Amino acid sequence: MAGLKKAYPDAHCELDHANPLELLVATILSAQCTDKRVNIVTADLFKKYRSAADYAQAPLGELERAIKTTGFFRNKAKSLKTCCEALIEKHGGQVPRTMEELTQLGGVGRKTANVVLGNAFGINCGVVVDTHVARLAQRLGLTKETAPEKIEQALMKLVPQEQWTMFSHWLIWHGRRRCYARNPDCPGCEIKALCPRIGVTD
Ligand code: SF4
């Protein structure tokens, strides 16, 4: 953790957002899509849709067109609508601050809830396990688990709670900049002395 912190002192959530609702929307859109693409789409989207009511009241087809290039746009548009309808019905249009309430919104799983809690509210409720975190947790020998929920539980036992959000950022940044899925840059890696390189063949 010290090595990664030193390598990425300014690691942060790379999804552009100015408030919890925008982060929630961006995270829903980020499934199977790059943050870069999501940021291009949300640059326009957030100008037009400013409140939960804006999403809830939007015709589905209009939302679908607005987010089309993020992929899986039909499901994502439905998720945005159901989620924002629930925000209005149950939370006065505001994004709630607990794991339980967030995961009860349609289209919001534990990973999305962790992103929102950690980055919009500064609440360390879990560890975000995306494709980078899952891959690096294996390579670094932190767990043998492969299911995201189980990887998360293993990491929560290893990492102090106050570091959960940053730990996830450090792994994601390292996964994007050094420990690539294919051909990781082990010779240039800042933490190579500590890494057992599990499953890395070359
Ligand atoms: S040594 Fe290689 S496998 Fe280990 S963290 Fe660094 S880049 Fe990834």
Side-chain angles (χ1 to χ4, degrees):
M1 286 171 54
L4 289 172
K5 187 177 181 179
K6 197 173 163 202
Y8 309 109
D10 58 348
H12 58 269
C13 177
E14 292 184 277
L15 290 169
D16 294 340
H17 64 281
N19 56 52
L21 178 67
E22 289 188 355
L23 182 56
L24 177 59
V25 169
T27 310
I28 290 173
L29 296 181
S30 73
Q32 309 289 322
C33 182
T34 63
D35 287 2
K36 202 174 161 193
R37 165 58 47 194
V38 172
N39 289 339
I40 291 170
V41 167
T42 56
D44 289 333
L45 192 75
F46 292 161
K47 281 184 204 146
K48 187 165 180 195
Y49 302 88
R50 296 181 176 271
S51 67
D54 289 341
Y55 291 96
Q57 288 160 10
L60 197 56
E62 182 189 297
L63 258 186
E64 286 175 355
R65 278 191 296 283
I67 64 164
K68 192 160 189 172
T69 58
T70 66
F72 301 97
F73 61 94
R74 289 191 207 284
N75 279 343
K76 289 179 183 175
K78 253 184 235 145
S79 289
L80 289 183
K81 263 187 92 77
T82 357
C83 169
C84 287
E85 281 162 8
L87 287 182
I88 291 164
E89 277 166 33
K90 297 181 191 158
H91 303 286
Q94 300 300 306
V95 178
R97 295 169 177 242
T98 68
M99 175 61 71
E100 201 188 355
E101 289 171 307
L102 277 165
T103 49
Q104 277 169 8
L105 302 168
V108 177
R110 192 174 163 91
K111 177 173 155 249
T112 299
N114 270 331
V115 172
V116 172
L117 288 170
N119 298 286
F121 298 126
I123 299 170
N124 286 299
C125 191
V127 178
V128 172
V129 178
D130 73 346
T131 178
H132 300 291
V133 175
R135 182 177 73 254
L136 269 71
Q138 295 285 334
R139 287 179 173 173
L140 289 163
L142 304 180
T143 180
K144 289 187 172 133
E145 300 289 354
T146 51
E149 311 75 45
K150 293 200 170 166
I151 295 173
E152 183 185 1
Q153 292 307 314
L155 296 179
M156 285 164 75
K157 285 191 195 122
L158 287 173
V159 177
Q161 185 169 4
E162 66 272 15
Q163 304 273 34
W164 285 350
T165 302
M166 285 315 297
F167 183 69
S168 172
H169 288 321
W170 292 328
L171 289 191
I172 292 170
W173 277 50
H174 199 52
R176 285 181 175 153
R177 291 158 178 80
R178 192 73 78 194
C179 192
Y180 317 115
R182 279 185 227 158
N183 302 323
D185 179 16
C186 298
C189 176
E190 293 82 349
I191 55 170
K192 65 183 171 210
L194 300 164
C195 180
R197 302 176 73 233
I198 309 277
V200 179
T201 47
D202 52 342

